[in-house]
Amino acid sequence: MTASGLFNQAVGWLRRHRVLLPGVSVLERKVSEVRAVAEKRLHATVARAAHRADAALPGDLVATLVTPEGARFSELERLRRPPTRTIGHGVRAVAGAGR
C-alpha cells in the first residue's frame, strides 16, 4: 500500500471510531514510522528465508551489487536491464535460410 493510501486508511479509521484527528504532520510522521517498521520486518523475514534456503545466498546476492573494476554496471544492473537492441541481421539470416 502506498503512503498516501495508508494515510487515507488511517484517517478513515480514526473518523469511523470518532477519534480526534491529530494534525496532518503528526499523522504523516506516524504513518512513516509504521511503514519503516513494516519494511524492516519484511526485510528480516526475507533475509531469514533466503539464509534457510541456501546459506550462501545472502552473500551471493550482495556480491551482485558490486561493480567490477572497469565495468560501468553491477551484475544486478546488468541482469535487471532488458537487451538494448535486437539483432536484425540474425533475423534476416534466419528468414533468408528458408528460401
Side-chain angles (χ1 to χ4, degrees):
M1 180 178 283
T2 65
S4 61
L6 192 55
F7 181 87
N8 292 334
Q9 289 287 331
V11 169
W13 187 92
L14 291 169
R15 284 185 176 156
R16 278 191 308 279
H17 290 86
R18 298 180 182 265
V19 176
L20 181 63
L21 289 173
V24 172
S25 60
V26 173
L27 189 54
E28 198 173 77
R29 192 170 36 254
K30 286 297 179 189
V31 166
S32 178
E33 290 171 8
V34 168
R35 286 191 74 189
V37 168
E39 286 173 1
K40 285 181 183 178
R41 193 175 339 142
L42 176 63
H43 180 269
T45 301
V46 170
R48 276 193 307 273
H51 186 72
R52 277 196 304 267
D54 179 1
L57 184 59
D60 293 344
L61 291 173
V62 169
T64 64
L65 300 173
V66 177
T67 304
E69 191 164 329
R72 293 178 58 199
F73 304 107
S74 67
E75 181 65 12
L76 180 64
E77 183 65 18
R78 188 190 69 77
L79 292 170
R80 187 187 71 81
R81 290 176 172 225
T84 55
R85 59 183 162 191
T86 57
I87 303 172
H89 302 296
V91 173
R92 276 186 253 140
V94 169
R99 292 183 193 175

